[in-house]
Amino acid sequence: MSSSPRSWRRAGTALRGWRSRQWTVAGAGALATAVLVGAPTDVVPNPLFGRSVPVQWWNYPALAVTAVLAGIVLTTYVRRPSSAPEPHAADGGRLGAIGGVLSFFAVGCPVCNKLVLVLLGASGALSYWAPLQPLLAVLSAGLLAEAALRRLSSETACPVRPSA
């Protein structure tokens, strides 16, 4: 087997082996991610948050992709039967966290972000930050996909047992 921490074949095998418990957690994780990212950014309309700039068309698919991939990554942390190898903690965990945070900045209102406003001002937020947001969405999805690929690949990798 290759030394690469990722394999499309092993990831696919892991997904095919998921039981209803894992798919339920993936669905719940995706829904929670959609609410946790979508509500404060007002991509998911709600009475608690608002935005100064209308939601862009690409915010919806970006949020959907983020939610699905985050649900998959979160599910890889669900405890499996003792016979199944546990993925290594370093296999994609940080990538998934960074991808999730980036998705929040990607779909958020460009002028509602206080940090961007302080650094660029309102016109800079619209002129410079807003055009970068779709790229952040792609980067976020890429990081989440890589995290999912690594973690799923490690689910079906042969475990190396320490010698006694």
Side-chain angles (χ1 to χ4, degrees):
M1 198 154 283
S2 74
S3 62
S4 173
R6 57 199 286 279
S7 164
W8 289 100
R9 181 186 297 170
R10 289 194 318 255
T13 300
L15 282 175
R16 285 189 297 278
W18 277 10
R19 305 274 189 239
S20 61
R21 178 178 178 209
Q22 278 107 349
W23 288 112
T24 301
V25 171
L31 181 61
T33 300
V35 170
L36 289 172
V37 173
T41 59
D42 205 35
V43 175
V44 175
N46 65 83
L48 300 175
F49 299 98
R51 46 188 300 153
S52 303
V53 176
V55 175
Q56 302 296 305
W57 69 268
W58 58 266
N59 291 150
Y60 299 107
L63 180 60
V65 168
T66 295
V68 168
L69 290 171
I72 290 171
V73 171
L74 290 169
T75 303
T76 64
Y77 289 95
V78 171
R79 188 173 175 95
R80 281 167 293 290
S82 60
S83 62
E86 289 291 323
H88 305 301
D91 285 342
R94 288 187 187 135
L95 294 176
I98 293 168
V101 170
L102 281 180
S103 70
F104 185 81
F105 290 111
V107 299
C109 171
V111 296
C112 301
N113 184 326
K114 304 295 186 237
L115 181 61
V116 173
L117 277 180
V118 167
L119 293 174
L120 302 174
S123 64
L126 290 171
S127 300
Y128 301 111
W129 180 251
L132 290 176
Q133 287 182 292
L135 299 174
L136 280 179
V138 171
L139 180 60
S140 167
L143 289 172
L144 284 164
E146 181 66 20
L149 180 60
R150 288 184 185 193
R151 291 204 47 91
L152 288 167
S153 294
S154 69
E155 282 187 9
T156 57
C158 296
V160 176
R161 305 229 185 256
S163 59

